[in-house]
Amino acid sequence: MRIYIDLWIKELDSDTANILWKLGFKAVAVEKLNTDKIKPNDIVVVKKKVIEARSRQELRERLRGVSREHSIISIKPYSIEAARMAAHDSRVDTIIIDKDTLKYMDKNQFSLMKQFSKPLEVSFKTLIEPNSRVKAMIYRRINYYLLYTKLPLIVSSEATKWNEVLVPVSTISFLTTLFNIDSRDALLSISNYPREILVRKGVSI
Amino acid sequence: MSIYDIIVTILIVITLIYGFILYYLKKNFRKQIIEIKRLINKLHGRRASELRKIRKRYIIFVILSGRNFTKKEIEDTVRETFTKYFGEQTLVKADPQLIYFEPSIQRGVIRTSHIYKDYVIASLGLIRKINDTPCLFIPLKTTGTIKRARKILYRLRRELQK
């Protein structure tokens, strides 16, 4: 059985953990843990910190004191300077693209991310955004990212309820049809690429 | 004018004609091939444009939810979601039909075209609610025959519903 990893669960309760385990997820990065009942053998739970920064100074302050080990740090940059800093800071694991941050994801940002090997993270909620104009803008940026930088794209769920989790087979098909990529490459977005980040953080799966 | 001169002139003319034919064929090689294909198709009574045979695929899925759904509710939701994300024209081409549904175990089989199999699987993953009831569609397996689909419908990953 394949190992799937969800790198962004917003709120995890026992129902969600149960569904994730059934779907084949072996590890998840959680922003807010709502239960203590998850058995340690069931699923590997890693802490995730999403930092929203409007300036370089703010990002620096928020990154100060954050533990590098056993927690995933993702940045939502709300300005160009924050985006550029996030790309070259070694404490940052992923940079999130959504409807608010897509403005700062340009060619220069992607080349900087390529230089410092920072992957782009997109949540499934963003990909199925109701506003088609925003969706098209996100699509264009991810398409450019995949085509020219050849860096890994990480797809996460940003789930708050059990029915918002990623269904692996459907997610692979969705990425295949949307970005016209091979299903093997699409599979890596929810398996190997997130796993590499976790392994780098010292988590054994 | 000797016989030798006449032969040489004829040879030169033949070489020139041959060269011209070769040049013409090389220049219009693609057009020539298309023309030959068109003639062959005409001979066999087929249309020139590529019409592919539609092969069927059967997608076995399971629904995880707090309540049981009817066949009509599921079919409507699948078609609605498919239209929302991929459009009316793709829906016509894919034609996803819920051909079999077992309410007791909330499992079913969707028939679609082999070209649009991925589209149907993707749209199943996008369904989060049916009539405001939270649910999750999980595609289990895709087969090429209904016989095999029915056979594996009951025994595939039973732990999902526990």
Side-chain angles (χ1 to χ4, degrees):
Chain A
M1 202 175 172
R2 285 169 187 157
I3 292 173
Y4 301 115
I5 292 159
D6 195 337
L7 216 59
W8 191 11
I9 299 274
K10 241 183 173 176
E11 287 174 33
L12 184 76
D13 51 21
S14 52
D15 282 347
T16 314
N18 191 24
I19 296 280
L20 284 166
W21 177 252
K22 282 175 181 175
L23 289 171
F25 284 90
K26 292 282 180 279
V28 287
V30 182
E31 219 183 320
K32 192 179 167 191
L33 196 63
N34 282 346
T35 180
D36 305 325
K37 288 177 184 173
I38 300 163
K39 291 172 200 166
N41 293 338
D42 278 357
I43 202 161
V44 178
V45 179
V46 184
K47 204 178 169 192
K48 170 143 178 150
K49 199 168 168 63
V50 179
I51 297 171
E52 295 176 1
R54 275 163 192 80
S55 67
R56 194 186 177 93
Q57 189 60 33
E58 192 185 345
L59 181 59
R60 198 179 288 163
E61 277 166 18
R62 289 199 176 192
L63 281 171
R64 201 174 292 148
V66 173
S67 158
R68 287 192 190 211
E69 283 186 4
H70 300 288
S71 71
I72 309 292
I73 298 155
S74 299
I75 305 291
K76 272 188 183 182
Y78 290 135
S79 69
I80 288 184
E81 54 171 352
R84 299 289 191 268
M85 195 197 159
H88 72 246
D89 198 302
S90 62
R91 287 167 288 186
V92 178
D93 295 310
T94 60
I95 296 169
I96 297 169
I97 184 169
D98 64 3
K99 63 178 178 180
D100 301 316
T101 62
L102 67 91
K103 279 178 269 178
Y104 312 111
M105 300 293 162
D106 53 4
K107 277 184 188 177
N108 295 333
Q109 176 67 20
F110 288 146
S111 45
L112 202 62
M113 283 163 73
K114 189 178 184 179
Q115 198 181 332
F116 291 96
S117 306
K118 285 279 173 327
L120 188 73
E121 185 179 343
V122 61
S123 77
F124 199 67
K125 271 186 188 173
T126 309
L127 287 177
I128 56 169
E129 164 85 31
N131 188 344
S132 60
R133 195 175 154 80
V134 173
K135 207 155 51 177
M137 286 160 87
I138 290 167
Y139 169 75
R140 274 206 313 275
R141 274 152 184 87
I142 295 175
N143 197 45
Y144 180 86
Y145 175 82
L146 290 173
L147 199 65
Y148 293 105
T149 65
K150 302 212 171 15
L151 276 170
L153 174 75
I154 293 166
V155 179
S156 52
S157 69
E158 203 190 336
T160 48
K161 295 174 205 158
W162 65 268
N163 65 330
E164 287 173 3
V165 298
L166 290 178
V167 180
V169 184
S170 297
T171 310
I172 292 163
S173 293
F174 186 77
L175 293 175
T176 310
T177 51
L178 186 66
F179 297 112
N180 205 13
I181 53 172
D182 197 52
S183 58
R184 274 182 231 159
D185 296 333
L187 170 68
L188 295 175
S189 297
I190 53 167
S191 60
N192 276 22
Y193 294 151
R195 190 181 183 172
E196 277 170 20
I197 292 173
L198 290 182
V199 169
R200 216 186 302 146
K201 287 278 164 181
V203 181
S204 58
I205 304 159
Chain B
M1 203 177 186
S2 65
I3 188 93
Y4 178 75
D5 287 340
I6 294 166
I7 291 167
V8 167
T9 315
I10 290 167
L11 275 173
I12 288 168
V13 169
I14 288 169
T15 315
L16 280 173
I17 292 167
Y18 183 69
F20 180 74
I21 289 168
L22 271 182
Y23 173 74
Y24 177 78
L25 277 176
K26 205 176 175 183
K27 201 179 173 186
N28 298 298
F29 185 70
R30 206 174 177 81
K31 277 184 188 171
Q32 297 292 326
I33 294 289
I34 293 166
E35 187 65 21
I36 291 163
K37 269 189 179 176
R38 198 184 64 80
L39 285 170
I40 292 167
N41 283 336
K42 201 177 176 184
L43 206 70
H44 289 282
R46 287 192 300 234
R47 283 179 63 185
S49 60
E50 284 262 330
L51 265 178
R52 291 173 72 183
K53 188 189 171 190
I54 298 168
R55 281 172 280 150
K56 290 163 192 161
R57 289 291 178 268
Y58 298 88
I59 300 160
I60 303 152
F61 66 93
V62 59
I63 305 170
L64 302 183
S65 177
R67 82 169 178 91
N68 288 359
F69 300 104
T70 61
K71 195 176 170 180
K72 194 176 180 324
E73 279 177 324
I74 293 159
E75 189 157 17
D76 289 349
T77 314
V78 170
R79 290 182 88 88
E80 200 178 288
T81 314
F82 194 97
T83 318
K84 190 181 165 190
Y85 286 98
F86 302 111
E88 191 85 29
Q89 201 173 8
T90 321
L91 177 79
V92 172
K93 287 177 186 170
D95 193 23
Q97 299 167 353
L98 184 65
I99 52 160
Y100 186 73
F101 185 68
E102 182 61 60
S104 60
I105 54 169
Q106 291 288 300
R107 284 181 179 215
V109 180
I110 289 177
R111 179 169 61 200
T112 184
S113 145
H114 77 283
I115 304 163
Y116 295 96
K117 181 198 83 176
D118 277 339
Y119 289 76
V120 177
I121 294 174
S123 67
L124 287 181
L126 297 167
I127 301 168
R128 307 292 182 184
K129 276 179 185 175
I130 299 177
N131 298 335
D132 293 328
T133 311
C135 67
L136 201 64
F137 274 67
I138 303 168
L140 296 175
K141 181 96 180 156
T142 307
T143 66
T145 60
I146 191 164
K147 192 178 170 186
R148 184 157 165 72
R150 284 201 186 201
K151 200 184 273 181
I152 61 176
L153 178 72
Y154 295 95
R155 61 181 166 87
L156 212 66
R157 293 186 66 192
R158 292 305 299 261
E159 79 279 359
L160 274 171
Q161 280 140 309
K162 281 175 192 167

